[in-house]
Amino acid sequence: MSEVKEKESPAGRDPIGPTAANQIRHGGKMPKKYCRFKKAGIKYIDYKDPNFLLKFVNEQGKILPRRITGTSLKYQRQLSKAIKRSRHLALLPFVTDQLK
Amino acid sequence: MMEIKTKVDATGMYETTFISLPEQTEQEYRELASKFEKLIKDNEGKIINEEHWGQLKFAYPIGRHHNGYYTFIEFKAPRAFISKLELEFSYDERIIRQLTVSLDKHALAYNEKRRAKDSAATKAENADKTLVKRKRTLTIREEV
């Protein structure tokens, strides 16, 4: 994803939401979360592209909550639908371990 | 006199992905795809795009199989035909899974871009005269 420079402002560019590591990197403040679909102008999330959908799924194959990924509600719903379709087509697993 | 448009007359854009049994000949796969293409055309439909993704490994076993052959068809058809199409998919024993999805304007725009990108990629690869890579390589599992 986007590279984070050492001296970047606290409103950083981390797409995956606030974690301890991110806080340390951004000088003790939470990086600003944003919806990557709104930002990139993506209107449609394709269920046929499992490599893209892997970003929104944890190692067990579970869909990540939007408070972690920063996705807006509208796109989280679309994303969720796409992941479920992908699972139906056996492009993504329902449950697994060590997915990534 | 105002004509009332019933929902049954309307046409829509759809895409369907179906998975057929693995370990068959290429000709049989083409035959299967053409069977459904014919069905779509006979019911006042129009095929926009057809893709063969080839034999891929499943993320989980389906009916004792670990691989399957994926075919993708994008088409335009009357709305009433879709339930009939899905029924035909269920009748065919060679097809183990299918998904039919209706496309809205954003989905259509995305599909067009995807097709343009794919055709550009094919042209570039052919121009290089190197071995043509399978475009839909999925890194989470191996292709068999």
Side-chain angles (χ1 to χ4, degrees), chain A residues 41-52 54 74-75 78 82 84-96 99-100, chain B residues 15-19 53 56-60 62 70 72 97-99 101-104 106-107 110-111 114 136-141:
Chain A
I42 297 172
K43 298 273 183 180
Y44 175 71
I45 301 170
D46 191 18
Y47 63 92
K48 302 185 290 290
D49 188 3
N51 287 334
F52 176 69
L54 276 178
K74 176 179 175 185
Y75 290 104
Q78 282 187 22
K84 289 171 186 176
R85 281 179 183 166
S86 221
R87 286 174 177 169
H88 174 75
L89 284 177
L91 298 169
L92 281 177
F94 282 95
V95 96
T96 185
L99 183 59
K100 301 195 222 191
Chain B
E15 64 182 20
T16 176
T17 316
F18 57 90
I19 308 173
W53 298 349
L56 302 169
K57 189 171 191 293
F58 292 150
Y60 54 89
I62 298 177
Y70 286 72
F72 169 75
R97 211 158 268 199
Q98 70 91 13
L99 178 70
V101 163
S102 76
L103 302 171
D104 64 351
H106 300 302
Y110 174 87
N111 276 348
R114 184 168 161 264
R136 242 155 299 289
T137 319
L138 301 168
T139 53
I140 56 173
R141 357 181 219 104

Side-chain angles (χ1 to χ4, degrees), chain B residues 9-122:
Chain B
D9 298 333
T11 59
M13 300 290 291
Y14 300 91
E15 64 182 20
T16 176
T17 316
F18 57 90
I19 308 173
S20 18
L21 288 172
E23 314 295 340
Q24 286 176 33
T25 65
E26 195 69 32
Q27 193 201 354
E28 278 173 29
Y29 291 133
R30 303 275 162 185
E31 230 175 288
L32 192 60
S34 62
K35 171 191 165 189
F36 287 101
E37 286 186 355
K38 183 170 183 299
L39 188 68
I40 292 167
K41 284 179 193 159
D42 288 345
N43 285 274
E44 299 157 17
K46 195 178 120 183
I47 309 280
I48 311 287
N49 186 23
E50 185 204 334
E51 286 174 19
H52 289 262
W53 298 349
Q55 192 158 309
L56 302 169
K57 189 171 191 293
F58 292 150
Y60 54 89
I62 298 177
R64 286 174 281 117
H65 298 287
H66 292 269
N67 315 292
Y69 189 91
Y70 286 72
T71 316
F72 169 75
I73 303 176
E74 216 180 312
F75 60 97
K76 180 176 183 171
R79 294 193 194 282
F81 166 63
I82 296 303
S83 51
K84 188 174 159 194
L85 177 69
E86 292 190 340
L87 202 62
E88 285 296 328
F89 276 128
S90 66
Y91 286 155
D92 199 316
E93 285 163 0
R94 291 168 288 178
I95 292 177
I96 46 184
R97 211 158 268 199
Q98 70 91 13
L99 178 70
T100 312
V101 163
S102 76
L103 302 171
D104 64 351
K105 60 178 181 180
H106 300 302
L108 287 171
Y110 174 87
N111 276 348
E112 272 181 38
K113 260 196 220 169
R114 184 168 161 264
R115 261 180 278 143
K117 202 168 75 167
D118 275 0
S119 67
T122 333

Side-chain angles (χ1 to χ4, degrees), chain A residues 2 10-11 20 22 24 32 34 43 59 61 68 71 82-83 85 90:
Chain A
S2 52
N22 284 350
I24 292 163
K32 185 106 176 83
Y34 59 89
K43 298 273 183 180
E59 307 87 45
I68 302 291
T71 315
I83 291 172
R85 281 179 183 166

Side-chain angles (χ1 to χ4, degrees), chain A residues 36-79:
Chain A
R36 65 165 77 192
F37 300 104
K38 268 189 189 159
K39 192 150 184 149
I42 297 172
K43 298 273 183 180
Y44 175 71
I45 301 170
D46 191 18
Y47 63 92
K48 302 185 290 290
D49 188 3
N51 287 334
F52 176 69
L53 296 175
L54 276 178
K55 294 190 180 87
F56 302 94
V57 138
N58 75 0
E59 307 87 45
Q60 287 184 331
K62 295 185 187 181
I63 302 173
L64 289 170
R66 64 187 193 98
R67 62 188 167 81
I68 302 291
T69 59
T71 315
S72 70
L73 181 60
K74 176 179 175 185
Y75 290 104
Q76 180 70 9
R77 286 187 176 146
Q78 282 187 22
L79 182 65

